[in-house]
Amino acid sequence: MCGIVAYVGERTAYPILIKGLKRLEYRGYDSAGIALINNETYLYKCKGKVKDLENIVKGKEISGSIGLGHTRWATHGEPNDINAHPHQSQNGKFIIVHNGIIENYSHLKKELINRGFSFKSDTDTEVLANLIENIYLEKKVPAELAVRLALTKVVGAYGLVIYCSDEPGQLIAARKGSPLVIGIGDNEYFMASDATPIIEYTDKVVFLNDEEVAVIDTEHLELKNLHNDAKTPQIHKIELSIDEIDKGDYEHYMLKEIHDQPTSIEDTFRGRISMDHSKIFLGGILDVLPKLINARRIIIVACGTSWHAGLVGEYLLEEYAKIPVEVEYASEFRYRKPIIYPDDVVIAISQSGETADTLAAIRLVRKLSDATILGICNVAGSSIARETDAGVYTHAGIEIGVASTKAFTAQITVLTMMAFLIGHRKKLIPDSDYLELVNALTEIPDKMREIIKNEGFIKDVANQYTDVTNALYMGRGLLYPVALEGALKLKEISYIHAEGYPAAEMKHGPIALIDENMPVFVLAVKDDSYDKIVSNIQEVKARNGKIVAIVTQGEKTIKKMANHVIEIPACHRSLAPLLAVVPLQIISYQIAVKRGCNVDQPRNLAKSVTVE
Amino acid sequence: MCGIVAYVGERTAYPILIKGLKRLEYRGYDSAGIALINNETYLYKCKGKVKDLENIVKGKEISGSIGLGHTRWATHGEPNDINAHPHQSQNGKFIIVHNGIIENYSHLKKELINRGFSFKSDTDTEVLANLIENIYLEKKVPAELAVRLALTKVVGAYGLVIYCSDEPGQLIAARKGSPLVIGIGDNEYFMASDATPIIEYTDKVVFLNDEEVAVIDTEHLELKNLHNDAKTPQIHKIELSIDEIDKGDYEHYMLKEIHDQPTSIEDTFRGRISMDHSKIFLGGILDVLPKLINARRIIIVACGTSWHAGLVGEYLLEEYAKIPVEVEYASEFRYRKPIIYPDDVVIAISQSGETADTLAAIRLVRKLSDATILGICNVAGSSIARETDAGVYTHAGIEIGVASTKAFTAQITVLTMMAFLIGHRKKLIPDSDYLELVNALTEIPDKMREIIKNEGFIKDVANQYTDVTNALYMGRGLLYPVALEGALKLKEISYIHAEGYPAAEMKHGPIALIDENMPVFVLAVKDDSYDKIVSNIQEVKARNGKIVAIVTQGEKTIKKMANHVIEIPACHRSLAPLLAVVPLQIISYQIAVKRGCNVDQPRNLAKSVTVE
């Protein structure tokens, strides 16, 4: 994780860096720091957020027009001033900001200590700074070569920007695993972990590829790989507007993004559903549709919230497309000696398209097999989008709240469209049913609007549970992943230990936790397993658990049993996850706000998990 | 869940019932009750355990030689005196004990209320009692026919014993879904949910099959199905000794069962590994071995702890037998419109062999496909053992502690042997490696003994964490399911909200929970993912979490980072789950004891989950 921003050009770097770091705070906010170069080097850093850094810098020298900035999600060493980036090499020749993990840092550190280096911080990044300096001084090579030589010795992931005081006016950027974007202006360049710090200055960007190094001064961008082969920079035009990254009148990005969902789902539909609702087009997977239709198995790899979306996809693809689906934690899949057949299709789901474990998983698939690999990403041009054979963008718009909301519903929307499309092409869904399903899908945004209109009531319910220390979530079938997602939301932003369970599993252990202090959020809409979930509610009730049930409008039975019910509009049973998750998002948000938690920047987390 | 015991014969029923109920308390202990018939009917029942019932009965009339007893795990209605079984029909003609759930009880209840019945309790069982009485009175048929007619109207599961006061001297038993065993003595019959209440009186038993009804008096056992077709009782000889159900010098069954593990695993081996360790024989699956060798996919269905064993099996079977494996919650699998191919092999794992969801899952497979179905059960003659095509008994000996320990390690042992055997037969494991693997497996019991010898130290570590309210467990690869199992043990018996995670997923949400109050139990033995888990430990450490690490003997790096380390002997990396789980079992046990929890009978739980 961590966010990097850097500038070289003719303006004062400081405001560009600070504004950029604030945009990147979703990537980590354990500490922040900048280095500004104006003949002299000025280094400012501290534990905490970018605004703490601003306080420290007040009144200090900030006139440099070259600068590097960093906002940190701690991996090695606790978040404090010393461990904050930028890091300097022992003799001060190199200044470096780093996103990623150097896995063999402890081995490298020992070697450097033997060579007389000493270390101020516990970080892997300082090791890298000294490794570069060591090579630079011993081999007497240009900084750029020293960086490349050092990187060949490194195991792990990095997005890097490096400054060498012997070669002023120049920055060196490099990437492996962690993303890095270079914005191209007029006689100025911007480097950042994503495009958000760049968009108000230029829309021309170059995405660094793995093991590429860029040497940049005010006038030139030179691109090469670690072995010094020259590369031609591919210039992309980005279409991101500042409005999208503004939270408008909302108190938090998360709340805005919850409210965005009816519209963001419409954006996911846009151009993909015919006017008469008789057809779904998914242009991004058109070429591989025969592979999907003939797939003997689909393997979905993902992490966190995307993994929950994958579970929903499993139910839908199995039911409608009649293809067995396995959903895997990307991190576990990679290390499990997976067996992949050529007629398997692998789908990677990731909002950022940069999730390190997911990216590594598809690279492994590529290495092991000829299976077709698809991506479902939100960020256009991201690594996963680029490294897959085909894919579908979720088009949910930029998501800034660390706890994912609109990306989740957009992912489910894409998976739903895929399941319907494949099922129809396989002639498993007759035309009339297909029309009905697509119709039902297009009605979802308005039904979501109804739920959001009911926000006041949902907030009142949430307010009853702000002091709980624990919570359980349960659902069956398609709503089991929604239970997992509801629990994750609460965990992430309110720090309440919440856990989701398939309702029938409660009896196999978790029900022991139930007493009068334990709220149980139950997804109990009218579907095939409605009667069973009523039985499960009774089992909880018999142990005095408090029940908050998400039910279908007009429901009567559960109303008598539950402490609170939240109604959602009736919808096609296969689309219930899209609606049922919304009240759970609102509940988590409201509880977290009431508890005084920092909703958009929950402790310990980062938006885009680019370390393994 | 719930336990049933009944007696008809010449002895005084009371002591047989009480002793039997105590043996069955593992099935539920929310309330207990008995009915004794001695011309008059005497009904005693109360909230609480069997010993509370004994206190109530003290000094009362207990001379009947016909009796029915029940220990309850509440499904409908909270545990109290009124909801306790036996239940009586409105006019007192029928007395009934029931294990299971009547799913359509609310519909039936409404109908009966319309016909003038009123209800004392909230239970589904009282509905059944009145339904039978209603038919009996309206149709003027024998009790046995009234029972059968009533049961045709019932949706759900039941193990039942019924007494009709108009037909004294006779009991009626019936089963669907929930188990029921009839013990045959000399001029006496015993009915119970399992054989444990019976074994000291007779070793001859009949297992009722689904939709069978038995009409029993002192001299006769008449067996038929719901449609009155006569059935011939199949008499089995059971080999269960009273020693096995005695906890000896141990304070709790769970502790005994943890200590049993080195021996119980040897029992799992016995007769299955050749003297020279060059061969594994699994007689129970010999006939289906070609199916397994040619399987394109294995689907494991299970619940709770058995599901965790299944996840370990997934890693082993994929690695050694190169067969893709899917592990499914039985409850979810059933309702998910699963796609099953004829060359799939389905493995059901259940200690009791009676787990309702797992049983229903294999019945569904049978209905949908020609796939081969295997069982891995501990209880011989159980429903799953009888309804599968083939299987392997775990031979762990009877497990009485509600929190499963030795059944889990025995299940893993069986899955390990299967993976090695199939891999060898498929020539994926060369002879020399096979010998090495089997050798390594046979060394596990002694290594477990070493861990158990270290119990004092583990207890000291546990004692540091008795006051925590929450805990996280993390592992990677084969040790990820062990993390889940460790968390489940703590949850079940200490009521601490513990949750297991694949270590790399922590960053995707749960790490937000970490602060200085959160203990994190980490499985970090020396294996392929050791370096990664060290990184994960550092991420937790950076947020001040407390770390208890299970490590390989002689480990140094983690020792410096963790608050406590518990060493386990080095072993083959694929066998680590068998060892690593033992300290977690001991920690859970010790924490629960120190917290004053009833370890063998944790609140809300039951051993064998025979309701869905």
Side-chain angles (χ1 to χ4, degrees), chain B residues 316-423:
Chain B
L316 295 172
L317 286 161
E318 294 207 342
E319 175 171 355
Y320 290 103
K322 293 269 178 273
I323 307 170
V325 179
E326 256 184 82
V327 188
E328 304 269 359
Y329 288 116
S331 61
E332 287 296 306
F333 177 76
R334 300 171 53 186
Y335 293 105
R336 188 156 69 72
K337 311 194 192 294
I339 302 151
I340 306 152
Y341 298 115
D343 57 356
D344 287 341
V345 172
V346 177
I347 303 178
I349 308 179
S350 162
Q351 188 281 129
S352 67
E354 301 292 348
T355 311
D357 279 313
T358 310
L359 187 56
I362 60 170
R363 285 176 181 165
L364 177 74
V365 172
R366 184 74 81 208
K367 213 171 87 184
L368 292 183
S369 80
D370 293 326
T372 305
I373 306 173
L374 309 185
I376 298 179
C377 301
N378 196 38
V379 177
S382 57
S383 299
I384 292 174
R386 285 180 293 139
E387 296 194 22
T388 41
D389 299 314
V392 183
Y393 283 120
T394 42
H395 293 323
I398 187 164
E399 189 179 67
I400 291 175
V402 164
S404 177
T405 51
K406 67 178 182 175
F408 177 69
T409 44
Q411 287 164 347
I412 291 178
T413 304
V414 166
L415 289 161
T416 306
M417 288 195 286
M418 282 178 69
F420 292 171
L421 174 62
I422 300 167

Side-chain angles (χ1 to χ4, degrees), chain B residues 34-50:
Chain B
I34 46 169
L36 298 167
I37 296 110
N38 176 11
N39 300 321
E40 292 297 307
T41 297
Y42 299 89
L43 197 61
Y44 308 110
K45 54 190 202 174
C46 65
K47 179 177 169 175
K49 307 205 167 172
V50 178

